[in-house]
Amino acid sequence: MAVVGPIRTLDPALSRSLAEHILLTNLGEPLMVMDTKTGLPIEGSARSAKVSKDGKKVTVKLRKDLFWSNGERLKAEDFNFSLRRLLDPTIQSWFFPMFKNLRGAQAFHDGAPIEPSQIGIEVKAEDTLVFHLEKPDPFFLLTLAHPVTMPVHRKTLDRFKKSWFSPKHWVGNGPFLPVAKNAYFYRLRKNPHHRFSPGMALDEVQISLSPTRSEAVDLFVQGKVDQFGYRDHGVPLPKTHEFVGKGSLRYEPDLRTFFLRLNSAKAPLSQRKIREALAMSLDRGLLVPTSDQSRRPLTLSLVPDKLLGYEAPHGYLYNTPGALGILSDLGYCTRDRSPAGCKHLPPLEIIHRDHSSMRKQALKLQGIWKRALGLQGMRILSYNDEAFEKAISTGKYMMALDDLAVDSERPFDFLKMFHSKQSLSGGVSLPEYDHLLEFAQNTPAWPEARKHFRAAEARLLREALVIPLYHGTTPVLVSPRVRGFVPNLMGVYPFSEISLR
């Protein structure tokens, strides 16, 4: 596999880039891991994880067959040490915010005189950890699946200080261990002490470090790597055309959604029925041709379907006759009906970021509504990024063609960004939506929280304040001889599941 380097560190607490996390996912095994097929966190080093009824206590039992790569047995204290290290203010881990909800973590990180016993990680037995949270968090098990939470070998760290994670000193608990590196590659070898080892097809994996995406593609073309492309660094769009129809180009789902904002404070969009008519008359197939829908999948939801097992609700279905009927009932002239006394819908306005792709989409929207509803005089305004964001935050727009991307650590920020308190992100004024969202975020168990998130999104879409259009994807290259690669929303690539034909 090729990644766009360099790899600055394999210390999980100091790692930041997705390229580093791709390696760490294979070099260490956190308590939970991501299942690439279901998109859900499942037990990794843990054999069970139980959330209390109030959601403030999570009890994790370790597997019995956990070993470091030097053959030592892994214990709960190893995870305790490693997770507390993430909270250490002298480390300044980029991912500390994921653990702010642990009891005492924020105060400890801020330098308050907190005793170790006051931090919400408790070792109950050699195989048992208990996490104490300030408030319920349905995403906590997802947090425990992040590669930065993998255990580090304390004796090695104490002995070798800043070089403990180099291949010659490495002691880890993942299915692979690093055995060599230079400026151009990392070489990994199967860890014989990992339980997956007997069933793993690959004995070695080489991670090639490329300075640019284009050079990584060249490595693939030359047959020097079997795979390239991940969320931060996909195949450059101009180069994708070289691989169409050759069986190696795939589009991995991404955590980005393109959508329309409709401002209910601006007439005539203050009438919900008009917003509904606009949503119903939108033929997304005209926005994204069939030949391009693998790259930009059409959607009726903000949150990607199947994300963490989520069953996404949908907004208004394409129904031009229904949209025309709504406008006609409101007394507006339409494309096919202009009775005496009807009124014309006032000119609408769309703003977009000053990017050529966004302008093309805005022009397509203008044409779709003109043909479907007979709307005339629609204005399209192009703003630079700063002006666009200011217009959204101050509500000085009628409609806005926008996109939203979220981090894999907090995937349901797709919905949080529309909470009324999120004025900088154009939050909407919808008290019922706010209530449902807050309830979901404080529901202890994820299956139950998922239902409330769905109800919140359904409420938002029903108001037609947001009209989803299509999702983003990342183009990746995978050799036809690779078996077991699963494109996934979370950007997880476990080499233990890969085989070569």
Side-chain angles (χ1 to χ4, degrees), residues 58-267:
V58 179
T59 303
V60 177
K61 297 277 189 179
L62 299 186
R63 300 175 59 91
K64 302 295 186 182
D65 53 355
L66 295 181
F67 297 92
W68 291 104
S69 55
N70 64 359
E72 293 178 9
R73 185 172 291 279
L74 206 69
K75 300 177 182 178
E77 178 55 37
D78 294 311
F79 285 95
N80 178 43
F81 166 75
S82 305
L83 292 170
R84 285 173 182 262
R85 183 169 175 262
L86 275 173
L87 310 180
D88 190 330
T90 64
I91 294 290
Q92 291 295 310
S93 173
W94 180 261
F95 290 93
F96 163 74
M98 293 195 303
F99 300 91
K100 291 169 66 173
N101 191 30
L102 271 177
R103 188 182 66 195
Q106 184 67 63
F108 176 69
H109 189 264
D110 292 343
I114 299 293
E115 294 294 325
S117 61
Q118 294 177 283
I119 298 176
I121 308 174
E122 179 185 5
V123 177
K124 293 286 283 188
E126 279 195 352
D127 68 342
T128 307
L129 282 161
V130 178
F131 296 93
H132 300 276
L133 309 181
E134 298 282 2
K135 60 180 182 179
D137 180 1
F139 297 110
F140 188 70
L141 295 184
L142 176 61
T143 297
L144 294 181
H146 198 284
V148 301
T149 66
M150 61 180 270
V152 298
H153 192 254
R154 185 172 188 171
K155 292 178 184 177
T156 304
L157 187 151
D158 290 342
R159 181 180 177 187
F160 296 107
K161 309 301 180 185
K162 294 184 179 180
S163 64
W164 70 267
F165 50 81
S166 66
K168 64 180 178 179
H169 299 147
W170 180 270
V171 177
N173 78 320
F176 289 88
L177 58 151
V179 292
K181 75 165 186 174
N182 60 28
Y184 306 102
F185 67 81
Y186 266 84
R187 184 168 292 127
L188 315 183
R189 185 174 297 157
K190 182 191 297 188
N191 175 6
H193 293 284
H194 195 278
R195 66 187 180 280
F196 290 168
S197 181
M200 286 163 51
L202 300 181
D203 291 322
E204 285 195 356
V205 174
Q206 181 164 302
I207 308 294
S208 296
L209 309 179
S210 179
T212 67
R213 294 186 296 158
S214 292
E215 291 178 69
V217 172
D218 291 341
L219 290 175
F220 183 86
V221 172
Q222 295 163 16
K224 294 181 179 179
V225 299
D226 292 297
Q227 182 182 332
F228 169 67
Y230 50 96
R231 189 168 62 247
D232 288 355
H233 295 286
V235 178
L237 186 58
K239 284 187 171 286
T240 59
H241 304 297
E242 302 172 19
F243 300 97
V244 173
K246 296 182 179 179
S248 57
L249 179 64
R250 305 189 193 183
Y251 287 95
E252 186 170 72
D254 205 346
L255 293 174
R256 180 181 294 272
T257 301
F258 293 80
F259 60 96
L260 266 171
R261 298 177 184 268
L262 281 68
N263 190 346
S264 61
K266 299 284 187 180

Side-chain angles (χ1 to χ4, degrees), residues 447-463:
E448 191 65 24
R450 191 166 54 202
K451 296 177 185 177
H452 300 309
F453 277 118
R454 189 182 191 281
E457 182 175 6
R459 185 71 181 89
L460 181 66
L461 297 176
R462 191 162 63 245
E463 284 293 320

